[in-house]
Amino acid sequence: MTLEIPEVVINRLPVYARALAALAMDGETVVSSQTLGERLDVTPAQIRKDLSYFGRFGKQGRGYNVLGLLAKLREILGLDRKWQVALVGVGRLGQAIAEYGGFEPQGFQIVAVFDSDPAAVGTTVNEVVVRDSEELDTFLRQNPVDIGVVAVPAHAAQQVVDRLVNAGIRAILNYAPMMPHVPLDVAVRNIDPVLAMQSMTFYIKRQDLTGAK
Amino acid sequence: MTLEIPEVVINRLPVYARALAALAMDGETVVSSQTLGERLDVTPAQIRKDLSYFGRFGKQGRGYNVLGLLAKLREILGLDRKWQVALVGVGRLGQAIAEYGGFEPQGFQIVAVFDSDPAAVGTTVNEVVVRDSEELDTFLRQNPVDIGVVAVPAHAAQQVVDRLVNAGIRAILNYAPMMPHVPLDVAVRNIDPVLAMQSMTFYIKRQDLTGAK
DNA sequence: TCCCTGTTGTTACGGATTTCACAACCGTAG
DNA sequence: CTACGGTTGTGAAATCCGTAACAACAGGGA
Ligand SMILES: NC(=O)c1ccc[n+]([C@@H]2O[C@H](COP(=O)([O-])OP(=O)(O)OC[C@H]3O[C@@H](n4cnc5c(N)ncnc54)[C@H](O)[C@@H]3O)[C@@H](O)[C@H]2O)c1
Ligand SMILES: NC(=O)c1ccc[n+]([C@@H]2O[C@H](COP(=O)([O-])OP(=O)(O)OC[C@H]3O[C@@H](n4cnc5c(N)ncnc54)[C@H](O)[C@@H]3O)[C@@H](O)[C@H]2O)c1
């Protein structure tokens, strides 16, 4: 019944939601797919098509109610509630993540932090006690956590991912430079600035050859 | 002549390259698309098709020479040379980026760092002096920089991007939570953990409804 | 009331990407 | 020197996704 929704579409929804939130801040009450598209470099048709997977949210001749559509998108994405996050690895990056103020306002709460280094265990990052990663399984089985964030060295990442998955977590944000293996029903997103750069070089190398100005 | 190559293909090449480097480290000398695909969760056909855009690198019956293919990919992507990187914004995130040891070994050298805060200007991060972002244009016109990394607050990001672009930079790695506007000939990659999480919630919310064990 | 402007929701089309399937080929063993 | 298991490179088929186009409609003004 629920037509299968392409993952690319799902990935664009949060982008729309963020833009709508910004428009709302600016005091805009309605927006057309045209206007929204210009802001995001997306064609209006794309936006309308994406939204049509979920229902009819606009009004002909006027566009979309900013707050109304935002609420709908948040509902669709499940952003109308809080999500519990566990962070594994409190090295340099892990600390930066724990202290980043961008998650909380969006409903992502880091409720647990783990590390294997005895020197780190027991310390506090952003008001959360660092637990021994041996306790990961026990803790996660007793406390509801929705998303796991992996910030350990690459060689330890698969093991950490496996533990998270075994503990029942079905969404993982991975910062380690490797592609984790997970079951089909577990969502993974990789954050990898090096890969991002390495794909851009192809294009700037190319332009040099093509002989720009 | 050079058949247009899909961007998705380009984005996968660095992943292949990294896996090949890992295989080389393990002492493997040849690898089949099958084996490589298992490691990366990519179908063998996909790998072969991707590579076929650039030439014929394998041997029937054996597979690919690990070092040979790695060298080819690095050449294709332009990773066989060093790239100069400029970082704008040395707040918490900017410092973490400057100190991250993962760029240098891949040939990405942060050669300049900028910030608008007078308190930050003149200080040193990872042995590089922080310059006033007013000097951005002057500096970039005199020193060759290939890639710009944006780590400033969202409200300042478009302005920074514009400056980088005007200074001739054609590749931008953006950490600010917004979608920068750039000319067609400028490559952009956005790093945004919040968006990543916000798309995963759709799937884990869904599973809850479907009623998993 | 009727017409005009603006914008949606949707269907149909076409292009892009992935998958399939197999002929061609390599190296080895007999 | 032939046969065989293994694997590539690649067209053709299948699937996925984005774009175009337009009927339907909302609101406002004459
Ligand atoms: N994607 C990015 O933007 C980005 C940026 C920086 C670093 N990284 C990657 O993130 C990871 C961490 O980087 P870092 O600079 O913080 O490294 P780090 O060495 O400073 O920190 C790693 C932490 O993980 C802990 N750890 C190791 N094995 C563990 C295990 N099995 N269980 C729990 N904790 C464990 C260590 O004790 C340490 O505290 C690395 O893989 C690095 O490549 C990614
Ligand atoms: N993608 C991620 O993983 C991630 C993580 C953390 C933060 N962020 C984002 O990165 C950005 C920086 O985060 P932060 O925590 O470092 O913030 P911050 O406030 O600590 O640092 C921002 C820095 O940018 C400087 N700056 C401001 N305007 C500038 C301008 N016009 N030119 C040059 N420099 C300017 C400020 O002086 C400051 O030093 C924010 O947009 C934040 O949302 C992204």
Side-chain angles (χ1 to χ4, degrees):
Chain A
M1 220 243 97
T2 304
L3 196 53
E4 203 49 56
I5 294 154
E7 183 165 335
V8 270
V9 172
I10 301 301
N11 291 338
R12 278 191 295 265
L13 262 28
V15 180
Y16 300 160
R18 193 169 61 192
L20 288 167
L23 285 167
M25 284 288 231
D26 293 352
E28 301 290 334
T29 61
V30 292
V31 67
S32 65
S33 57
Q34 171 76 45
T35 309
L36 188 58
E38 278 164 15
R39 264 179 102 114
L40 297 173
D41 253 319
V42 172
T43 64
Q46 175 103 84
I47 293 174
R48 294 202 300 277
K49 185 79 187 283
D50 286 350
L51 296 178
S52 77
Y53 281 101
F54 303 96
R56 316 158 119 225
F57 309 119
K59 259 207 184 97
Q60 278 116 331
R62 305 216 14 88
Y64 302 88
N65 178 291
V66 172
L67 256 18
L69 182 55
L70 177 54
K72 270 296 177 193
L73 287 179
R74 292 173 56 81
E75 185 192 324
I76 292 164
L77 289 167
L79 303 179
D80 51 356
R81 60 115 144 170
K82 295 229 187 312
W83 293 93
Q84 267 66 52
V85 178
L87 168 66
V88 188
V90 219
R92 263 203 255 262
L93 175 66
Q95 284 177 40
I97 292 169
E99 287 164 10
Y100 177 43
F103 293 119
E104 186 83 33
Q106 300 303 319
F108 297 102
Q109 305 178 300
I110 299 182
V111 297
V113 177
F114 300 91
D115 202 295
S116 62
D117 183 355
V121 174
T123 63
T124 295
V125 272
N126 202 22
E127 306 189 355
V128 179
V129 170
V130 178
R131 295 185 154 75
D132 192 315
S133 52
E134 290 305 317
E135 300 172 30
L136 199 150
D137 208 76
T138 321
F139 183 92
L140 294 188
R141 288 189 184 285
Q142 291 175 354
N143 305 70
V145 169
D146 307 293
I147 302 172
V149 176
V150 177
V152 303
H155 66 82
Q158 185 61 57
Q159 188 204 69
V160 167
V161 166
D162 290 345
R163 283 201 200 178
L164 289 169
V165 169
N166 284 334
I169 279 188
R170 289 194 313 259
I172 290 176
L173 186 66
N174 171 49
Y175 281 88
M178 48 80 70
M179 295 296 176
H181 249 295
V182 295
L184 262 19
D185 63 347
V186 175
V188 178
R189 297 291 184 276
N190 297 293
I191 303 267
D192 198 323
V194 171
L195 288 188
M197 283 192 186
Q198 289 181 328
S199 64
M200 288 197 290
T201 53
F202 174 81
Y203 295 101
I204 54 184
K205 183 195 65 139
R206 243 183 160 208
Q207 285 193 339
D208 285 345
L209 295 175
T210 321
K213 60 138 189 293
Chain B
M1 223 250 97
T2 305
L3 195 52
E4 205 48 58
I5 295 153
E7 183 166 335
V8 271
V9 172
I10 301 301
N11 291 337
R12 279 191 294 264
L13 297 186
V15 180
Y16 300 160
R18 192 169 62 192
L20 288 167
L23 284 167
M25 284 288 231
D26 294 351
E28 302 291 333
T29 61
V30 292
V31 67
S32 66
S33 57
Q34 171 77 47
T35 308
L36 188 58
E38 278 164 15
R39 266 180 100 115
L40 297 174
D41 254 319
V42 172
T43 65
Q46 173 98 270
I47 293 174
R48 295 202 300 276
K49 186 74 172 208
D50 286 349
L51 296 178
S52 77
Y53 281 101
F54 302 96
R56 313 154 70 116
F57 309 119
K59 260 209 182 93
Q60 280 114 332
R62 303 206 30 75
Y64 301 88
N65 178 292
V66 172
L67 256 18
L69 182 55
L70 177 55
K72 272 295 177 194
L73 287 179
R74 293 174 55 82
E75 186 192 323
I76 291 164
L77 289 167
L79 303 179
D80 51 357
R81 59 113 144 172
K82 296 228 187 313
W83 293 92
Q84 266 67 51
V85 178
L87 169 66
V88 188
V90 219
R92 264 203 259 259
L93 175 67
Q95 283 177 40
I97 293 169
E99 287 164 11
Y100 178 43
F103 293 119
E104 185 83 34
Q106 300 302 320
F108 297 101
Q109 305 178 301
I110 298 182
V111 297
V113 176
F114 299 92
D115 202 294
S116 61
D117 183 356
V121 174
T123 63
T124 295
V125 271
N126 202 21
E127 306 190 356
V128 179
V129 170
V130 178
R131 294 186 156 75
D132 192 314
S133 52
E134 291 304 316
E135 299 172 31
L136 199 149
D137 208 76
T138 320
F139 183 91
L140 294 188
R141 288 188 183 286
Q142 292 175 354
N143 304 71
V145 168
D146 307 294
I147 301 172
V149 175
V150 177
V152 303
H155 66 83
Q158 184 61 57
Q159 188 204 69
V160 166
V161 166
D162 290 344
R163 283 201 201 179
L164 289 169
V165 169
N166 284 334
I169 280 188
R170 288 194 311 260
I172 290 176
L173 187 65
N174 172 49
Y175 281 88
M178 48 80 70
M179 296 296 176
H181 251 296
V182 295
L184 263 20
D185 64 346
V186 176
V188 178
R189 297 290 185 275
N190 298 293
I191 303 268
D192 198 323
V194 171
L195 288 188
M197 283 192 187
Q198 289 182 328
S199 64
M200 288 196 291
T201 52
F202 174 81
Y203 295 101
I204 54 184
K205 183 197 63 141
R206 237 178 166 214
Q207 284 193 340
D208 285 345
L209 295 175
T210 321
K213 58 139 184 297

